[in-house]
Amino acid sequence: MKREIPVAITFIVGTAYLIAYFIPHEPFNYFENWFNDWFAVIAAFAIWLGVLNLIKISTIKIVRKSPDWPYSVLIIVSFIIIVFFGFYEGYRGLYANPHYSFRDPGTSFDWLYVNVYTPLSATMFALLAFFVASASYRAFRARNFEATLLLLAAFLVMLGRVPVGDILTSWLPHQYQLSQWANWIMHVPNTAGQRAIMIGIALGLVSTSLRIILGLERSYLGND
Amino acid sequence: MNLKLIVIFLLMLCLGSFALAETNTVNKDSTAVDSIAPPAPVTMFKAFDTPNDHGHSITLNWQLSADDGAGQNSVLQYQIYRWVPYLMDSLTTLRKAMTTVKEEEIKRGHEKVLKKEMRSLKKEYNAVLKELPSAHKAYPNNGYWKEVGKVPAGTKSYKNTGSKEKESQDYLPDLTDFYYRVDAVTKDSTVRASSKVFGPVQCSGQWFNTGRIPVLVAVILFTFLTIYFVEKAKNGAKLYVRPLSGIEAVDDAIGRATEMGRPILYILGLGSVADIATIASFTILSRVAKQVAEYQTELLVPTYDPLVMAVAQEVVKSAYLDAGRPDDYKEDTVHFVTQSQFAYVAAVNGIMLRELPATNIYMGVFFAESLILAETGALAGSIQIAGTDQIAQIPFFIVACDYTLIGEELYAASAYLGREPLLLGSLKAQDYAKALVIILAIIGLIMSNFGWTQFTDLFKVAN
């Protein structure tokens, strides 16, 4: 029963979604909303599951003095601070006149968000610029024919995307200037390749969905 | 002398004022000369129930006014009006009252008085809703024309879509008589021409979306192919399955980790359990975890989503059980990190640089973090295998990882790893469907080049 009930639920929900795609009439058009609401409720409970897991793992690390345990202290302290200010501001906002949310500008929660969380996230995101450079360096080494082709295409696209590309080729007719080459590469071979992958993905999605709905694929239930 | 000067100055001031007044009069007259003549109204105006929808929507079509882009060229926009009974205003009033009660409930808590008031308001609201169809039948009495939308000149249609939610202010009831008119409006909004009133027209939901017939045919065909190959596999037929180098490399990567005595890092991505890519990733995780348990290597699975964590825990636990080593399963093998994208990246990068895993496996849904993760893994000297269905991230993985499962290979991997006839049958069906798509695309390409678009039109799908 541990396996049969989830498989049955998956079949019913999957089939309902499939039917709702073809039948716009009530009550089928409400299915998506209902299932999304149920999913949101489950996900809301699961957040606590995640939080408890995080605290449990971090506490065990601190207690056992595992390697790098100070990071776990940092996790718990940061967690307590943000939760405290969130609840504190939420409580105050509820009884203030007019009401305000804990996330509104000017609250201490918002101050932490703007001055601590946002810069830290932006820093991580900014690393992408350096990683793009190092990845490009490795990708564009002309080791074989395909890599050389990639290098050439990248060279043309990058140069064609900036004004200097057209200036360098200004002596050529407009349709042969670098920006036109870059556009052609992006619109023809690149789009064709992407569409091929997209068609493959769509077929893979349908195939996997069918396997899940029919109960052929059950690995997500915890059995191989 | 000074007095004389002052008098002259005052006289000049008065004359100036008269002159200015005269000029204004002249200006007024000139405006009168520029006044706009009323434009021609739209013609062939009709309204009908929007096809292939869930109801609550009316589509309006018309032919442009003779003064739109031609004639006087004075039409700037079209304003669409629907006749609404005064009863609709009662609904608005009741909605406002319900909102006020809700706000009071937030302030004062769920007091009995408020609950009673809310119940009575809802009852009244539902009673008014029931009266709506008969109130609309009373056209043109007890109602007024309400603007429901506007479109710029040159537009020939408008869709008046309302909400299906009865408590929404945009609620558009089904099976109710509606009357519409379209006004051609000039730059002076008072100068306009109204069309003939069209009505009554009703909206209702359809029982089948005919615009999606091509999808239905494809689904039936694909299901048939899958069932055919699954049955074939069940009867013992040997099915050839294309090799997937990325999946074949998993065994070697686990062996490498075992030899080096370092952990394997498995990243399920940022997807939720509702994403098919994440579900496909669970299958691969199951296989990896089973092998890891057999080789007694360490596995690390930091997760982004708590639900994904719960499922992954169950998958890994079962894999250890299947491998006959349930005692080796550690609670912290699969753990939750955070639901913030870049905080998750920071945490996983930290794990990569501190634990120096021998192998990093990225399978699932990835976004901007893909390259940051993969490049950090490459810097840490790990063997990396990736698979995602996010087209924008595939190039990053190809560049930074040793093996990449491109698009549908991620979905095929789950069947490939299982090696069960049932799953291989569906994989075979997927391959045949792909071949069919290629053939159809080639035929479509040839036909379109000859201008025969009838073939490609067969595959058009309506939203």
Side-chain angles (χ1 to χ4, degrees):
Chain A
M1 287 301 272
K2 194 188 162 195
R3 301 261 154 79
E4 278 76 9
I5 291 174
V7 168
I9 292 172
T10 311
F11 177 78
I12 293 164
V13 175
T15 313
Y17 253 110
L18 192 67
I19 292 169
Y21 180 77
F22 296 106
I23 304 175
H25 200 280
E26 286 178 16
F28 298 96
N29 60 332
Y30 282 99
F31 282 1
E32 195 176 349
N33 289 356
W34 290 345
F35 294 141
N36 284 346
D37 286 349
W38 292 351
F39 184 77
V41 171
I42 296 169
F45 279 107
I47 284 177
W48 286 106
L49 207 68
V51 167
L52 290 175
N53 179 271
L54 182 72
I55 292 172
K56 186 181 155 192
I57 302 286
S58 303
T59 311
I60 290 171
K61 273 189 183 171
I62 295 166
V63 171
R64 289 182 187 161
K65 291 274 189 300
S66 306
D68 304 314
W69 66 270
Y71 290 118
S72 300
V73 175
L74 203 62
I75 287 172
I76 291 179
V77 170
S78 308
F79 176 78
I80 291 170
I81 289 173
I82 201 79
V83 167
F84 171 76
F85 282 107
F87 276 108
Y88 172 68
E89 290 288 0
Y91 182 79
R92 265 184 51 176
L94 202 62
Y95 291 96
N97 194 14
H99 293 307
Y100 66 84
S101 162
F102 66 98
R103 285 181 295 190
D104 284 351
T107 60
S108 45
F109 183 89
D110 180 65
W111 188 91
L112 283 170
Y113 187 83
V114 172
N115 295 292
V116 181
Y117 175 78
T118 307
L120 285 172
S121 284
T123 307
M124 284 310 297
F125 189 39
L127 283 177
L128 198 59
F130 301 100
F131 286 137
V132 165
S134 64
S136 306
Y137 173 73
R138 268 190 287 122
F140 297 153
R141 272 183 298 180
R143 288 164 297 183
N144 48 37
F145 175 71
E146 287 88 354
T148 313
L149 210 61
L150 187 71
L151 171 67
L152 193 69
F155 178 76
L156 289 173
V157 170
M158 284 194 282
L159 213 55
R161 286 280 188 248
V162 286
V164 75
D166 274 353
I167 293 170
L168 286 173
T169 51
S170 56
W171 50 277
L172 285 169
H174 178 68
Q175 66 265 33
Y176 296 116
Q177 286 180 2
L178 267 176
S179 60
Q180 301 305 310
W181 281 83
N183 284 342
W184 183 84
I185 291 170
M186 292 305 287
H187 292 150
V188 182
N190 179 57
T191 308
Q194 286 205 357
R195 281 187 186 161
I197 295 172
M198 276 164 72
I199 291 169
I201 288 172
L203 284 171
L205 267 171
V206 175
S207 174
T208 311
S209 305
L210 208 59
R211 286 201 297 263
I212 293 166
I213 291 172
L214 296 175
L216 299 173
E217 175 105 49
R218 300 178 183 202
S219 57
Y220 63 97
L221 297 174
N223 62 326
D224 201 8
Chain B
M1 184 65 184
N2 279 345
L3 191 70
K4 272 186 183 173
L5 274 173
I6 289 167
V7 170
I8 290 168
F9 178 72
L10 283 172
L11 274 170
M12 282 174 74
L13 209 66
C14 287
L15 280 171
S17 304
F18 277 123
L20 203 67
E22 193 70 18
T23 318
N24 284 345
T25 320
V26 170
N27 279 348
K28 264 187 188 170
D29 286 341
S30 72
T31 315
V33 168
D34 285 348
S35 66
I36 307 161
V42 301
T43 53
M44 297 173 76
F45 171 55
K46 59 180 178 179
F48 53 92
D49 179 22
T50 306
N52 297 323
D53 71 346
H54 65 272
H56 312 284
S57 175
I58 297 282
T59 303
L60 304 127
N61 285 342
W62 60 84
Q63 288 301 313
L64 297 181
S65 154
D67 295 318
D68 179 353
Q72 297 183 76
N73 199 14
S74 57
V75 174
L76 284 189
Q77 62 173 339
Y78 295 105
Q79 290 179 353
I80 295 94
Y81 287 84
R82 192 178 77 227
W83 185 85
V84 288
Y86 292 126
L87 206 64
M88 289 294 261
D89 293 341
S90 316
L91 282 179
T92 312
T93 315
L94 285 167
R95 257 194 308 269
K96 276 181 188 165
M98 285 196 281
T99 312
T100 314
V101 173
K102 268 181 200 167
E103 282 172 0
E104 280 297 309
E105 275 187 333
I106 294 169
K107 264 189 212 167
R108 289 155 49 184
H110 295 280
E111 287 178 9
K112 272 188 180 175
V113 186
L114 292 173
K115 275 188 178 174
K116 200 178 169 186
E117 200 178 334
M118 185 59 113
R119 266 201 301 273
S120 128
L121 282 170
K122 276 188 178 170
K123 204 175 167 185
E124 204 178 332
Y125 191 86
N126 287 331
V128 175
L129 276 179
K130 275 185 188 169
E131 292 295 317
L132 274 182
S134 56
H136 276 85
K137 277 192 195 302
Y139 171 83
N141 303 316
N142 296 326
Y144 62 98
W145 287 100
K146 184 187 176 187
E147 186 190 324
V148 289
K150 51 186 159 193
V151 287
T155 314
K156 292 179 179 177
S157 69
Y158 179 78
K159 205 183 271 187
N160 182 208
T161 304
S163 172
K164 63 184 176 187
E165 306 300 335
K166 286 178 180 168
E167 286 183 14
S168 165
Q169 60 176 4
D170 300 326
Y171 177 59
L172 197 70
D174 275 350
L175 305 172
T176 305
D177 291 345
F178 294 120
Y179 296 85
Y180 286 91
R181 74 159 213 255
V182 174
D183 283 9
V185 184
T186 60
K187 68 178 176 183
D188 179 357
S189 62
T190 57
V191 182
R192 55 175 64 208
S194 300
S195 69
K196 283 180 185 168
V197 174
F198 191 96
V201 57
Q202 293 190 343
C203 53
S204 61
Q206 276 74 55
W207 282 102
F208 183 70
N209 187 341
T210 50
R212 289 175 177 174
I213 287 177
V215 181
L216 182 67
V217 172
V219 168
I220 292 170
L221 198 68
F222 195 75
T223 310
F224 170 76
L225 276 174
T226 305
I227 292 170
Y228 171 74
F229 281 108
V230 165
E231 284 301 316
K232 208 172 166 185
K234 265 186 189 172
N235 294 334
K238 282 194 175 178
L239 300 174
Y240 170 77
V241 180
R242 65 207 140 102
L244 297 171
S245 57
I247 286 300
E248 283 171 355
V250 168
D251 293 348
D252 298 336
I254 296 170
R256 180 179 184 257
T258 312
E259 282 170 15
M260 293 173 82
R262 287 199 205 157
I264 291 166
L265 184 65
Y266 194 101
I267 313 287
L268 285 148
L270 265 56
S272 74
V273 277
D275 290 305
I276 303 289
T278 311
I279 296 174
S281 183
F282 286 137
T283 313
I284 301 166
L285 172 65
S286 171
R287 163 83 172 197
V288 170
K290 196 174 171 185
Q291 266 190 293
V292 161
E294 283 165 3
Y295 293 167
Q296 289 181 295
T297 312
E298 194 185 349
L299 178 67
L300 300 169
V301 189
T303 57
Y304 170 83
D305 185 284
L307 276 177
V308 170
M309 177 201 74
V311 177
Q313 278 178 338
E314 200 60 32
V315 166
V316 174
K317 208 185 277 184
S318 296
Y320 272 74
L321 195 67
D322 289 344
R325 295 183 188 277
D327 296 338
D328 287 349
Y329 173 72
K330 290 182 204 160
E331 281 294 317
D332 60 350
T333 298
V334 183
H335 62 275
F336 175 69
V337 179
T338 171
Q339 276 205 291
S340 162
Q341 183 182 22
F342 290 106
Y344 177 76
V345 175
V348 174
N349 280 3
I351 292 171
M352 282 178 188
L353 296 173
R354 285 194 302 273
E355 307 281 343
L356 296 172
T359 305
N360 297 334
I361 303 174
Y362 311 95
M363 299 281 170
V365 180
F366 290 87
F367 300 103
E369 73 287 350
S370 62
L371 188 64
I372 305 177
L373 291 172
E375 271 296 290
T376 309
L379 289 173
S382 315
I383 279 207
Q384 304 200 100
I385 303 165
T388 185
D389 60 353
Q390 299 295 305
I391 290 183
Q393 308 308 325
I394 290 171
F396 294 131
F397 277 140
I398 289 175
V399 166
C401 296
D402 300 280
Y403 299 95
T404 307
L405 299 173
I406 299 171
E408 49 102 29
E409 287 181 347
L410 171 67
Y411 304 115
S414 58
Y416 185 84
L417 280 170
R419 287 279 169 193
E420 287 173 32
L422 294 179
L423 296 179
L424 289 179
S426 70
L427 193 57
K428 203 73 190 162
Q430 193 178 322
D431 284 352
Y432 270 84
K434 210 193 305 186
L436 191 67
V437 168
I438 292 169
I439 292 166
L440 291 174
I442 292 169
I443 295 171
L445 179 79
I446 294 167
M447 289 200 153
S448 294
N449 276 307
F450 281 103
W452 300 325
T453 52
Q454 292 90 336
F455 182 75
T456 47
D457 287 346
L458 285 176
F459 300 93
K460 276 188 181 162
V461 177
N463 285 322

